[in-house]
Amino acid sequence: MLRVLIVSGLLLFAFGEMQAQLDSLLDVLDAELDRRDDYLAQKRASLQVLDTQRAQASSLEEQFNLTLEKVAALESFSFTDASKEVIRLHQLAKQLKDARKIGLAKLRRSFIFVSAGLFNEAIDTLNTIELSHLSDRLKAEFYTTRSRCYLDLYDNYPLQSLSERSREQALADLDSAILYVSPDTIHLLSLRASYAIIKRKPREGLAIYHQILNRPDANVRLMAKAHGAAGINFNRLNMRDSARLAIVKSASADERTV
């Protein structure tokens, strides 16, 4: 009887600790949401600086680089504005007659489609890119982006035959991306985490998640993705409370990236 009481007490304590962590994280998320206007003001100010610098640019090369910065700032922020800027980026690349820059502009356009949930449009754009003109880093980004498209289609296709085909393509593209990523990098860990999600290996995915947590070079955007993946893995292991904690952490990181 005493053992039962002790175990029950420990379980209640653990539940209380978990609930306290969740409440604390929700308070952090609320604070982030309260700061949204400040974040938006900072974002608009940084975009205005880029506009001013571009207006003063003395060469097409400089205009292209500044437009590329603006596209990156808008990709997950405003689909309409990002789409306008990436058209301009592509036009500048063609004016420069630079095949690498044309491929880069198409790659950025595909990512904008992904951010808006337009996965087939993203794949169509990616498939027009001539990979031979891209650096290894951009080839890795190409395959990573296309893998993400097929992974999202895999999650949403109602027909199993189409779903399984998308899953196989997502895995194949991840394999290709890994070939172009340096070992012992956080990028490689992120790819391996995606691989574990597709292969439904939650314990392996969580082991990679803890490696990412210990990396000093893990930026906010990457951590938003890592926490989200951890939430999926915890959920697959029926660790619902841990899944909730991870999802709230992901939402807070997403909010900070605006």
Side-chain angles (χ1 to χ4, degrees):
M1 182 66 181
L2 179 59
R3 182 179 296 177
V4 172
L5 289 173
I6 291 173
V7 172
S8 298
L10 289 172
L11 288 173
L12 286 171
F13 176 77
F15 175 78
E17 284 288 298
M18 188 70 75
Q19 188 60 49
Q21 288 183 53
L22 182 58
D23 289 343
S24 177
L25 285 171
L26 287 170
D27 287 341
V28 170
L29 179 56
D30 284 340
E32 293 292 344
L33 291 170
D34 287 340
R35 294 184 61 190
R36 172 167 285 195
D37 287 344
D38 292 336
Y39 288 142
L40 292 175
Q42 291 171 23
K43 172 71 80 173
R44 293 190 182 100
S46 66
L47 291 172
Q48 184 58 54
V49 168
L50 288 173
D51 283 339
T52 301
Q53 291 175 336
R54 187 169 60 188
Q56 298 169 351
S58 57
S59 68
L60 287 177
E61 183 81 24
E62 191 178 358
Q63 286 182 44
F64 178 90
N65 291 333
L66 289 165
T67 304
L68 182 61
E69 279 191 58
K70 190 171 183 184
V71 168
L74 288 167
E75 280 176 343
S76 301
F77 181 68
S78 169
F79 174 75
T80 301
D81 292 342
S83 296
K84 291 177 182 176
E85 289 296 334
V86 85
I87 290 172
R88 183 171 187 168
L89 187 71
H90 190 250
Q91 290 171 341
L92 286 166
K94 288 199 294 185
Q95 285 180 265
L96 288 163
K97 298 179 180 179
D98 188 321
R100 189 192 72 85
K101 286 182 171 61
I102 291 171
L104 177 56
K106 290 180 177 181
L107 191 56
R108 298 270 53 86
R109 186 180 188 190
S110 68
F111 192 85
I112 292 166
F113 281 138
V114 171
S115 298
L118 301 172
F119 306 115
N120 284 308
E121 289 81 355
I123 291 169
D124 289 343
T125 301
L126 287 166
N127 289 342
T128 66
I129 295 175
E130 180 53 64
L131 286 178
S132 63
H133 298 304
L134 300 184
S135 64
D136 284 356
R137 181 183 65 81
L138 291 179
K139 286 175 184 174
E141 187 174 341
F142 168 91
Y143 285 114
T144 301
T145 304
R146 199 169 69 176
S147 174
R148 180 181 168 186
C149 293
Y150 282 114
L151 179 57
D152 279 293
L153 290 173
Y154 159 64
D155 287 335
N156 291 288
Y157 271 136
L159 293 177
Q160 186 174 355
S161 59
L162 291 174
S163 177
E164 188 57 30
R165 196 181 310 161
S166 292
R167 178 180 178 275
E168 290 172 1
Q169 186 62 58
L171 286 170
D173 280 340
L174 273 180
D175 283 332
S176 297
I178 287 170
L179 293 175
Y180 294 104
V181 176
S182 300
D184 302 321
T185 61
I186 196 165
H187 190 183
L188 182 59
L189 286 175
S190 181
L191 291 177
R192 287 176 56 210
S194 297
Y195 208 95
I197 290 284
I198 303 173
K199 297 289 282 187
R200 291 188 169 270
K201 294 183 176 181
R203 296 189 188 281
E204 181 179 319
L206 289 173
I208 296 168
Y209 171 61
H210 289 297
Q211 290 181 59
I212 292 173
L213 287 178
N214 292 323
R215 296 282 302 219
D217 52 345
N219 59 37
V220 177
R221 178 170 288 186
L222 188 144
M223 286 313 304
K225 179 183 176 183
H227 290 314
I232 294 171
N233 287 320
F234 280 128
N235 198 50
R236 285 176 174 171
L237 293 170
N238 292 317
M239 300 171 68
R240 308 298 188 199
D241 291 331
S242 295
R244 291 189 186 96
L245 291 175
I247 290 167
V248 174
K249 288 179 182 178
S250 178
S252 294
D254 258 336
E255 189 64 26
R256 285 197 295 278
T257 65
V258 194

